[in-house]
Amino acid sequence: MIPIKDRNPTRRFAFLTLGIIAVCVGIYFFVEPTGRSTLAQRTDSEQVDEAVWTVRHAAIPCELVERRHLTVPEVVATFQNQDPNACAPSPPPAPPADPGKNIYLAVFFSMFLHGGLLHLGGNMLFLWVFGNNIEDRMGRLGYLVFYVVGGLAAALTHVLLQPYSTVPVVGASGAIAAVMGAYLVLFPNAEILSIVPIFLFGVFVEVRAKWLLGLWFVLQFFISPASGIASGAHIGGFVFGMAVALLWRRQLLAEDEPEPWAWDERRTWGTWA
């Protein structure tokens, strides 16, 4: 199921969520080589440039675990020989591929990078559907800290599960998973307008957040590491978001008015977020 909108009104406009979306979209189209050539057929040299750029800016588990840069043979084995676990024993005899890279800041940078239009579009859609209500409850500063720490927790989970992977990790999905985990705790009964793809068509359905997000979370355990999807990061981010929301649930839902998801059947729906 693909969420489109939620029936869960907010008290203030989600400027920070919209800002994160704008930053991710801007970086993809104006900074990343993938985005700048995404609408055209890429040459071999452009694909090499993209790989070099990604290695230079993205988080890589092997680098973080071994506390060093990938070597040239490791990069070649990863991208040319399709070996996702080309991490050599430390210390490696070969020179580093990019000695100027800050391997720790790359964990933060990776949260704003994406590997393609579908990757970007899917992440930003999920962020907008679920992020505005979490920003509304946490406040902008609290939400920003939560988003960043959630992304770091997701990246750490991925590294722990695949410590010798030499495949760069890009995408905001770990941080967005944290947002989704918090949403599940705070608004389990919110109605989500979703599309269920059926062959070449799509059927619109309304489903409660606890079923949609619960199903999404369970499915992460069945994703193969060979798929290229960092399901471990999704799981780590989601669990982090749930834990934070459970710890602060009373404060986050403290209101004089009824909780926005606890609708009386006689009330009309509020504005869609």
Side-chain angles (χ1 to χ4, degrees):
M1 286 182 287
I2 304 171
I4 302 300
K5 292 182 179 180
D6 65 340
R7 294 184 182 270
N8 193 357
T10 57
R11 300 163 297 180
R12 59 181 71 88
F13 187 75
F15 285 107
L16 184 55
T17 297
L18 189 62
I20 294 172
I21 292 173
V23 169
C24 289
V25 171
I27 289 176
Y28 180 79
F29 283 106
F30 300 107
V31 179
E32 292 188 53
T34 304
R36 294 201 303 269
S37 60
T38 196
L39 299 179
Q41 184 67 32
R42 295 194 290 273
T43 64
D44 290 342
S45 63
E46 286 176 329
Q47 293 179 23
V48 171
D49 290 341
E50 290 172 12
V52 171
W53 192 92
T54 303
V55 169
R56 179 171 297 165
H57 295 92
I60 301 175
C62 175
E63 291 186 327
L64 295 167
V65 171
E66 296 291 330
R67 293 179 292 178
R68 61 170 176 81
H69 301 93
L70 286 189
T71 64
V72 173
E74 288 171 331
V75 172
V76 171
T78 302
F79 288 91
Q80 192 170 349
N81 302 335
Q82 302 297 307
D83 181 1
N85 297 295
C87 195
S90 183
D98 190 347
K101 173 183 179 180
N102 188 314
I103 61 176
Y104 302 107
L105 278 180
V107 179
F108 175 76
F109 294 151
S110 290
M111 295 166 53
F112 301 94
L113 309 179
H114 290 84
L117 276 177
L118 283 178
H119 188 204
L120 174 70
N123 274 351
M124 296 305 100
L125 174 62
F126 273 72
L127 178 57
W128 177 251
V129 171
F130 300 109
N132 54 356
N133 289 101
I134 304 304
E135 177 182 345
D136 184 50
R137 292 293 171 165
M138 291 186 172
R140 294 192 177 100
L141 179 59
Y143 176 68
L144 179 61
V145 173
F146 169 78
Y147 184 88
V148 172
V149 177
L152 297 178
L156 177 61
T157 304
H158 177 73
V159 171
L160 290 175
L161 293 175
Q162 299 186 46
Y164 299 109
S165 172
T166 50
V167 178
V169 182
V170 296
S173 54
I176 296 170
V179 171
M180 293 162 62
Y183 195 103
L184 175 61
V185 171
L186 299 178
F187 311 108
N189 294 314
E191 293 283 353
I192 311 294
L193 177 67
S194 307
I195 295 179
V196 179
I198 300 178
F199 297 105
L200 298 177
F201 303 95
V203 177
F204 286 91
V205 298
E206 288 186 352
V207 59
R208 292 190 186 275
K210 60 187 176 184
W211 302 120
L212 187 148
L213 295 175
L215 175 63
W216 180 91
F217 181 66
V218 170
L219 288 176
Q220 304 311 303
F221 290 92
F222 296 93
I223 296 176
S224 168
S227 66
I229 299 175
S231 57
H234 297 171
I235 294 169
F238 197 91
V239 171
F240 171 84
M242 288 187 64
V244 170
L246 284 169
L247 285 172
W248 296 94
R249 187 176 186 275
R250 185 184 300 274
Q251 292 86 340
L252 293 172
L253 290 179
E255 291 258 342
D256 294 327
E257 60 185 19
E259 294 164 340
W261 47 267
W263 294 99
D264 188 293
E265 291 182 358
R266 295 168 294 180
R267 293 183 62 180
T268 56
W269 289 108
T271 6
W272 283 9

